[in-house]
Amino acid sequence: MSEQPASAPVMVPPPATSPLPPAVADALKRDGAGLVAAVVQQFDTNEVLMLGWMDDEALHRTMTSGRVTFYSRSRQEYWRKGDTSGHVQWVKSVAVDCDGDALLIRVDQVGAACHTGTRTCFDGRDLEVQTGEAL
């Protein structure tokens, strides 16, 4: 059985008025909605906390404010993590992956990262899988 090639996502260029430095804006590969996936990780334990979405403005706010800002796909608005819950994400570093289509935001998480109240969005949500091991 052969694998079918994955269809390439639609990538859009940076907005003409991106608030990001040109080198950063040019490095990002945005989806059709102008968004990039942002993986959020606890800086000192490497625990993966959540996944959110950012456009150029959300990334700019994150890079310049010390707090993480996302773009809500469902509400079509910006939201800064912790403004209503108190579960703040303090930015420690931001990196773009080798393809430019994902960000790694390392934070110091205060309280739960997940809107369900769990520490991470992945707590208690393991799937049954066949595991492997290196030879």
Side-chain angles (χ1 to χ4, degrees):
M1 188 174 197
S2 66
E3 285 187 36
Q4 296 294 321
S7 59
V10 176
M11 297 298 174
V12 297
T17 59
S18 175
L20 295 171
V24 175
D26 291 344
L28 296 177
K29 291 183 184 170
R30 298 156 193 80
D31 69 9
L35 303 174
V36 176
V39 176
V40 181
Q41 181 181 48
Q42 176 65 31
F43 84 101
D44 54 354
T45 65
N46 294 329
E47 179 180 31
V48 176
L49 301 172
M50 62 177 288
L51 173 86
W53 296 92
M54 293 184 175
D55 65 1
D56 286 35
E57 179 62 30
L59 178 55
H60 177 260
R61 291 180 189 188
T62 297
M63 292 173 64
T64 59
S65 71
R67 299 263 312 271
V68 179
T69 297
F70 297 102
Y71 185 78
S72 172
R73 298 179 299 169
S74 60
R75 294 186 313 254
Q76 304 270 308
E77 66 184 17
Y78 297 102
W79 60 281
R80 191 167 68 166
K81 185 70 173 168
D83 278 355
T84 57
S85 67
H87 299 164
V88 175
Q89 293 176 337
W90 296 105
V91 176
K92 295 297 183 181
S93 66
V94 176
V96 62
D97 80 336
C98 60
D99 294 323
D101 60 1
L103 299 163
L104 178 62
I105 315 294
R106 301 191 80 218
V107 303
D108 191 6
Q109 175 70 48
V110 175
C114 187
H115 71 279
T116 65
T118 57
R119 171 74 180 159
T120 85
C121 292
F122 302 98
D123 283 348
R125 295 171 179 90
D126 290 343
L127 303 176
E128 288 189 35
V129 298
Q130 175 64 49
T131 62
E133 60 183 75
L135 299 176

